[in-house]
Amino acid sequence: DQTISQPSTVVAMTEALDVIEGQKILEVGTGSGWQAAILASLVGDKGFVYTIEVIPELAEFAKKNIKKFNIKNVEVFVKDGSLGLKEKAPFDRIIVTAACPDIPKSYLDQLKVDGIIVIPVGNLYLQEMYVVKKLKKGIEKKSIGNFMFVPLIGKYGFK
C-alpha cells in the first residue's frame, strides 16, 4: 500500500529543500531510495543523507538500489520515522515523503537554526506541502501547494 512520488513532486520537494553541498539531511520515507540518491548527489562527498523507512521490505529494496549505484553517503534506518533520528541530529534539512497530521515536534527539535523542513501536512486525502524554516525564535512556514501522500506511520503519524 505504498506509492512512489511522481517526478514533478520529487522536483518540487527537492527544489524547496534548497540543498547545499556538504549538508546533513534526514529523509523520512525511504521508499525505493530514489529521493535519497538525488539528495546524496546534491550534498556531495562532504554531505550525508540519513533516511528512515518503517517497512522493512522497502528499506531492504532501497539499500539494494543504493548499493547498486555505489552511493556511499546514504544510510538507511528501519524505524519509526515520525520520531526523527535523534542520534544523528542536528540536521540542516529534513524532507518528509509521507502525509503528517501536524509537524512533529521531534523534527523541529532535530533541525538546526536556519534549517528547512519540507513536509506534507493535512488529512488522509489531501495535504498542503509546507516549507518550514526554523528561526532562533519560532518558525516561518509557507505553502507550495496541495499534494497527496500515503500516511505517516508511527507515534506522531496517523492513528
Side-chain angles (χ1 to χ4, degrees):
D1 293 323
Q2 299 298 298
T3 62
I4 188 165
S5 296
Q6 60 188 358
S8 60
T9 299
V10 174
V11 168
M13 292 181 78
T14 303
E15 189 174 76
L17 203 59
D18 192 27
V19 176
I20 297 168
E21 195 170 343
Q23 288 183 323
K24 182 165 60 167
I25 298 177
L26 173 63
E27 176 193 32
V28 179
T30 310
S32 68
W34 181 36
Q35 178 77 66
I38 291 168
L39 296 171
S41 175
L42 293 173
V43 297
D45 294 338
K46 293 185 175 131
F48 208 87
V49 178
Y50 297 95
T51 182
I52 305 172
E53 177 57 56
V54 73
I55 300 170
E57 297 84 4
L58 271 179
E60 283 307 311
F61 180 60
K63 285 178 185 179
K64 286 177 185 170
N65 285 334
I66 289 163
K67 185 177 181 182
K68 178 171 44 175
F69 292 100
N70 200 31
I71 299 168
K72 304 286 188 206
N73 59 341
V74 172
E75 186 174 357
V76 179
F77 291 81
V78 179
K79 61 192 309 180
D80 179 352
S82 76
L83 301 173
L85 196 60
K86 194 174 185 177
E87 62 268 30
K88 300 295 182 180
F91 300 100
D92 298 293
R93 303 286 188 266
I94 298 175
I95 184 169
V96 184
T97 61
C100 301
D102 289 299
I103 301 168
K105 184 179 180 308
S106 53
Y107 297 165
L108 292 170
D109 290 346
Q110 294 173 34
L111 187 66
K112 291 180 180 177
V113 171
D114 293 325
I116 294 172
I117 302 173
V118 176
I119 184 169
V121 178
N123 59 44
L124 291 173
Y125 308 104
L126 185 65
Q127 303 90 42
E128 203 163 349
M129 185 69 67
Y130 287 108
V131 180
V132 180
K133 185 170 186 176
K134 182 177 180 178
L135 308 171
K136 285 182 183 173
K137 293 186 178 184
I139 62 170
E140 183 178 278
K141 182 170 89 168
K142 76 173 184 176
S143 172
I144 58 169
N146 292 322
F147 292 82
M148 189 170 173
F149 283 85
V150 297
L152 181 67
I153 299 168
K155 183 175 180 180
Y156 298 112
F158 286 94
K159 305 298 177 222

